[in-house]
Amino acid sequence: MTASSSAHKPRRRKAGNQASPVSQYGGARMDGKQPPSKPWFPLASLLWPARGTTSQWIILPLVLMITGLFRWAVGLWGYSGFNMPPMHGDFEAQRHWMEITIHLPISQWYFYDLEWWGLDYPPLTAYHSWILGEIGSTFNPSWFALFSSRRLDEPLLKVYMRATVLLSEYSTYVPAVVIFLRRYSRLEGLPAWEASIALVAVLMQPVTILTDHAHFQYNTVMLGLVTASLSSLIAGRQLWGCVFYVAALGYKQMALYYAPTIFAYLLGICFFPRLDVRRLLKIMLITALSFSVLFAPLIVGSLYNSRRGISPESTEIATELLRKLDFLLPLPIKENAWYYPPLLQLTQSVHRIFPFARGVFEDKVANLWCALHVIHKLNRYPSAVVQRLALVATVISILPPCLVIFFRPRKELLPLALSSTAWGFFLCSFQVHEKSVLLPLLPMTLLLASRDGLTPSIRGWVIWANVLGCWTMFPLLKRDKLRVPYFMLTLLYPYLLGLQPSAGNIYASDPAAEGNLRPTTRASHLLFYAAMAAWHAAEAFIPTPQGKPDLWVVVNVGIGAFGFVICYLWCLWRLVSRSGILSRWGLTIDRNGSKQLKLQ
């Protein structure tokens, strides 16, 4: 017993994990006007007693319980499509996918009754729906009875569906964020206590909570898989990063917003500092195997059901697409061939996942095309022309961050590169939804765990981007009667991170001090905040003119799109400045982002 005790050596506490209230931004003010024993902003005050000697394993359960409570409380409100015939919104769509996946053969999932919320997400979403549908049927089979369960709004069904969102998030997104912030904060030299502040800030993102737990969706599963991929890349486990990212793509096609950055980074580490062919081949092989595993159930299921004489419904579109692609395939298209059912299944699933026929946008969303459509109607042009224009604009917007991360494949640059490309996709790409704003906001918020993430400058930008993103979703949330949770979370978030009407306000600090916002940035942010407040007042009390029922929504789109362009430019500028590329031309960047000419 004695020998066993003496052989045990406790792990040393790293110097970066010690409490350092004087030098770190969660504690004393950088200008020294505030005593070091006092936290700077409310979220730091909340966790202030836990600094120093308190174990992070004590803090973590408290954080998860508090953030979980907010999620469940928001879930008590309505959801998308509640008592709103005929289609009943996203809640009914998710429930319907559980219904069809547990009752129909797998070969019919992407073909069945496409007019009523036909499945249009990648296979991993279908597999997830199948699991949740099977579990839910053990509680009450009528919730997911084929056809007869449509338009169901039972209170207990709502409880079950809300619980599935919470459990799905806490089994994917939350652990991925915890592990990522732990690794990234160590990479950036951030103390563990300040990493805990960043964790609360990430988990309290209002857009994420309102979209998944109020409006109702499962976006955090995809975001969790992306974060797991990002965490693996930072840990140097590139192959696991590929597996997790393919899983994210397999859950929601929106994860494509991150694809150029992931591709450019993986290619960069294979070419720099020297060519590594073995690594490149491993990455290619694992990626191909991951996609194969993802689609294997669909392929095997279509072959099995074909032998049993079970054929899918409404195959006309997929058959026509297969005929058009005949010249690309090594085998002739024959309906009686053994390989025809898998080809038909893959063609239909891709057609459903990427619905180019729907147009450049479905609803009013704060991106460039919707804003431009107000001035110059885009529907006068053929859809193919608009698609090509969107493709060109998207490539132009994502090319700079991709080039930076390719030539400077450094781990600490990944969040900025991901945010830049995601903003480019959101602003310029085809078929953008309001909820897609989650994708650029996540990596931008993860910057709070960087080496200067809790400075007023970074916090100011993160708060502003999150509030702006939430504000652009207000028309959607208003339709779901979610005004109260919207205002509560949108006002709480900036307060927690330092936008409060008291000492310590990030816009009231000395602009000359290191890490604070510059006067021009303060003025632009405050102008946007004033515009958002004025818009809410006008939308609530001033009726729209006759013949222009969407006037206030259009104004929302214009202001939001302009603000998101600024977010894109800021993320790109931060990426370029941190990459060190500008130093080759004699430019250095201070922590406030100001250019300085340095003679070489």
Side-chain angles (χ1 to χ4, degrees):
M1 192 73 173
T2 307
S4 175
S5 300
S6 61
H8 174 70
K9 293 183 180 180
R11 187 169 57 184
R12 290 184 179 180
R13 184 185 296 272
K14 293 186 178 182
N17 288 336
Q18 301 290 343
S20 182
V22 176
S23 61
Q24 301 300 331
Y25 298 99
R29 296 180 63 144
M30 291 301 296
D31 55 14
K33 295 180 180 179
Q34 189 168 307
S37 60
K38 186 177 180 181
W40 192 0
F41 51 94
L43 188 53
S45 302
L46 180 66
L47 298 176
W48 188 255
R51 73 193 188 283
T53 58
T54 303
S55 169
Q56 299 305 303
W57 294 109
I58 297 176
I59 299 176
L60 183 60
L62 296 174
V63 170
L64 299 185
M65 285 188 288
I66 293 172
T67 54
L69 180 62
F70 273 97
R71 284 158 165 75
W72 193 255
V74 167
L76 297 175
W77 290 82
Y79 49 80
S80 172
F82 178 63
N83 288 332
M84 293 176 63
M87 297 302 290
H88 290 262
D90 285 341
F91 182 92
E92 170 61 18
Q94 301 288 343
R95 190 214 57 79
H96 177 63
W97 295 345
M98 298 177 195
E99 167 197 337
I100 63 174
T101 52
I102 65 174
H103 287 290
L104 299 178
I106 192 171
S107 61
Q108 296 186 6
W109 288 359
Y110 281 99
F111 292 89
Y112 178 76
D113 196 3
L114 301 182
E115 296 300 319
W116 184 267
W117 297 115
L119 182 60
D120 57 1
Y121 277 9
L124 195 55
T125 288
Y127 308 150
H128 182 227
S129 298
W130 172 72
I131 293 172
L132 298 181
E134 291 287 358
I135 296 173
S137 294
T138 62
F139 294 105
N140 190 337
S142 66
W143 291 345
F144 307 104
L146 189 62
F147 194 80
S148 62
S149 61
R150 292 183 180 182
R151 306 177 181 88
L152 200 60
D153 283 325
E154 284 189 10
L156 288 180
L157 173 62
K158 174 185 175 181
V159 172
Y160 173 74
M161 297 290 281
R162 292 294 198 195
T164 61
V165 176
L166 189 66
L167 292 175
S168 298
E169 179 175 355
Y170 269 64
S171 60
T172 53
Y173 179 72
V174 170
V177 169
V178 170
I179 296 172
F180 169 80
L181 291 179
R182 186 175 180 84
R183 289 174 175 170
Y184 190 60
S185 60
R186 285 179 176 176
L187 177 68
E188 292 282 277
L190 194 72
W193 174 69
E194 298 197 11
S196 298
I197 297 176
L199 174 63
V200 179
V202 173
L203 295 183
M204 284 297 293
Q205 271 189 283
V207 178
T208 306
I209 297 175
L210 289 169
T211 302
D212 278 19
H213 298 275
H215 175 79
F216 195 89
Q217 280 197 339
Y218 295 92
N219 294 291
T220 48
V221 177
M222 178 269 293
L223 294 175
L225 293 169
V226 169
T227 308
S229 174
L230 186 56
S231 179
S232 299
L233 295 179
I234 286 178
R237 300 170 182 170
Q238 292 85 14
L239 300 184
W240 276 111
C242 294
V243 171
F244 284 122
Y245 183 66
V246 170
L249 281 174
Y251 193 83
K252 280 203 173 187
Q253 58 269 48
M254 287 194 305
L256 278 171
Y257 281 31
Y258 301 128
T261 294
I262 301 292
F263 174 78
Y265 175 78
L266 291 174
L267 197 62
I269 61 175
C270 292
F271 277 84
F272 302 103
R274 61 184 180 277
L275 181 63
D276 192 336
V277 178
R278 288 185 60 190
R279 175 184 284 175
L280 180 61
L281 292 176
K282 286 180 181 178
I283 290 173
M284 293 171 61
L285 178 61
I286 291 297
T287 302
L289 286 175
S290 300
F291 275 111
S292 300
V293 171
L294 178 67
F295 282 91
L298 283 177
I299 296 172
V300 174
S302 63
L303 288 171
Y304 175 70
N305 290 325
S306 177
R307 291 179 63 87
R308 295 171 60 201
I310 301 175
S311 58
E313 304 174 357
S314 305
T315 62
E316 294 82 7
I317 296 178
T319 303
E320 183 64 26
L321 288 173
L322 263 181
R323 289 170 182 165
K324 291 181 180 178
L325 297 174
D326 189 11
F327 70 97
L328 295 175
L329 300 174
L331 298 172
I333 302 298
K334 297 181 179 179
E335 294 190 15
N336 58 350
W338 67 269
Y339 52 81
Y340 183 79
L343 286 177
L344 188 70
Q345 188 69 228
L346 292 175
T347 303
Q348 177 70 2
S349 60
V350 172
H351 167 68
R352 293 294 300 164
I353 293 168
F354 300 103
F356 293 109
R358 294 183 185 176
V360 68
F361 54 85
E362 289 187 65
D363 207 346
K364 293 179 174 61
V365 55
N367 75 340
L368 294 181
W369 303 120
C370 194
L372 179 62
H373 185 72
V374 176
I375 304 171
H376 184 77
K377 301 303 178 184
L378 298 176
N379 52 11
R380 67 176 65 178
Y381 302 104
S383 179
V385 174
V386 181
Q387 288 178 24
R388 295 190 189 100
L389 184 61
L391 176 62
V392 171
T394 304
V395 170
I396 292 173
S397 66
I398 67 175
L399 190 60
C402 289
L403 290 175
V404 172
I405 200 66
F406 172 71
F407 288 107
R408 293 288 192 276
R410 287 160 35 191
K411 301 173 183 177
E412 64 271 18
L413 298 179
L414 278 170
L416 280 167
L418 287 170
S419 189
S420 300
T421 53
W423 279 124
F425 264 100
F426 181 83
L427 287 166
C428 303
S429 65
F430 199 83
Q431 267 295 305
V432 174
H433 294 264
E434 311 98 314
K435 293 156 281 192
S436 300
V437 76
L438 288 165
L439 284 96
L441 284 178
L442 173 62
M444 192 171 177
T445 308
L446 293 176
L447 293 174
L448 292 171
S450 62
R451 66 188 180 196
D452 52 356
L454 294 182
T455 60
S457 175
I458 303 297
R459 282 190 292 120
W461 279 99
V462 169
I463 293 170
W464 181 72
N466 275 280
V467 171
L468 182 65
C470 207
W471 177 73
T472 59
M473 286 188 59
F474 178 78
L476 173 69
L477 299 172
K478 177 186 174 183
R479 289 200 298 268
D480 298 335
K481 298 179 175 59
L482 296 171
R483 292 183 184 87
V484 172
Y486 161 81
F487 282 111
M488 291 295 294
L489 290 176
T490 308
L491 294 174
L492 176 64
Y493 193 75
Y495 170 79
L496 289 175
L497 286 179
L499 187 58
Q500 73 274 15
S502 62
N505 190 322
I506 55 178
Y507 293 107
S509 54
D510 182 8
E514 185 181 13
N516 288 344
L517 289 165
R518 292 182 294 170
T520 52
T521 302
R522 297 175 189 221
S524 62
H525 284 191
L526 292 174
L527 182 63
F528 269 90
Y529 283 129
M532 286 186 272
W535 180 90
H536 272 301
E539 186 271 339
F541 299 109
I542 302 176
T544 56
Q546 188 175 4
K548 296 182 179 179
D550 296 329
L551 174 63
W552 299 125
V553 179
V554 169
V555 173
N556 182 292
V557 166
I559 296 174
F562 183 51
F564 291 151
V565 170
I566 296 174
C567 289
Y568 164 75
L569 294 174
W570 180 81
C571 290
L572 180 59
W573 176 246
R574 290 282 303 179
L575 174 65
V576 172
S577 64
R578 284 208 64 181
S579 68
I581 291 178
L582 294 180
S583 61
R584 298 184 61 182
W585 287 275
L587 287 171
T588 59
I589 311 296
D590 64 16
R591 296 179 83 167
N592 287 329
S594 301
K595 292 188 296 182
Q596 295 177 348
L597 180 62
K598 181 179 178 181
L599 297 177
Q600 301 286 336

